[in-house]
Amino acid sequence: MTKSATIAVVGSINLDLVASVKSFPQPGETVTNATVVRCPGGKGANQALAAHRLGAQVFMVGCVGNDPLAGEALQALTSEGVNLDYCCSIDDAPTGLAMIVVNALGENQIVVAPGANAAFGPGQLSMPPADAVIAQLEVPINTVLKAASANPGFFCLNAAPARTVPMELLDQVDLLVVNEIEAQTLGPDLAVYGGLLATTYGSKGALLSRNGQQIACGKPPKVDVVDTTGAGDAFTAALTVGLVSGLSPEQALRRACVAGALTATRMGAQSSPTSAELERLDVV
Ligand code: RIB
């Protein structure tokens, strides 16, 4: 890649409680064969770490509670050296917590108790200078709006989890990343959106388009899937880092597909690859 990008990731920080089971329980059913691990998570934190591992200089911008879960939720960001100077701690809300069930196919079901992420209002937001901002929809939309307006650089919105997005925000987006469900939720607004659109289709790959015209098509490598949690986060981070660092749309999309696929081969939402791993696979 031609240059090292500086990226501010504005979003959620969670502690994930991950239960692995053979199959998901039906409503009313109790499954008793689970094993449980605690891992750092949150779409914002996952994307920040993924971008950092791919060589970007990353600022995490988000909120945790003033409680013992905060240190666990921030553990990987801290130990790997992501800049946390723009993160804050909120006294009257707990650190975000996600309850995740992963089945034998690596599929997941996620319930989030947002805690401090929901209390992260525009008043708490302070933005570092950056070439690009990445945001998702696990913090209040007004905070995302302020982050988009505060930074003149490239703005990527990963519209996850699925919810509608005000036109005022969509108008500021340079790269929108959605899966099929999120695309459906945005509905007709997608037809008037004029920026780059990355649509992901899980193991089938992803498309990059603008105004309905396909620009690039990416296929992930075949991998043994263990846990798909965080694969979309790694994809979003890798695509943004690639585009901002001067890769072509084809190269950036290919790199994003591989990053997402490798993340799915390991447990936990913060299992994205390093640039060295991608290079070993001959990915630019
Ligand atoms: O995208 C995966 C993430 O969604 C998990 O880490 C969980 O915390 C939820 O935010």
Side-chain angles (χ1 to χ4, degrees), residues 12 14-16 40-43 46 98 100 110 112 138 229-230 233 269:
S12 56
N14 291 334
L15 179 69
D16 292 352
K43 294 184 193 305
N46 302 343
I100 304 181
I110 305 181
V112 174
E138 284 189 326
T229 315
D233 298 327

Side-chain angles (χ1 to χ4, degrees), residues 47-108:
Q47 294 180 17
L49 201 61
H52 172 78
R53 287 178 180 157
L54 294 176
Q57 192 197 327
V58 179
F59 295 91
M60 176 70 218
V61 185
C63 276
V64 289
N66 185 7
D67 57 22
L69 296 191
E72 262 188 278
L74 292 170
Q75 188 272 323
L77 293 172
T78 308
S79 66
E80 295 195 30
V82 172
N83 187 309
L84 301 181
D85 291 351
Y86 294 81
C87 281
C88 60
S89 171
I90 292 182
D91 276 339
D92 50 7
T95 297
L97 192 63
M99 270 83 43
I100 304 181
V101 184
V102 177
N103 72 9
L105 299 175
E107 299 164 328
N108 62 37

Side-chain angles (χ1 to χ4, degrees), residues 125-136:
L125 180 77
S126 154
M127 289 295 288
D131 300 317
V133 173
I134 306 178
Q136 323 74 32

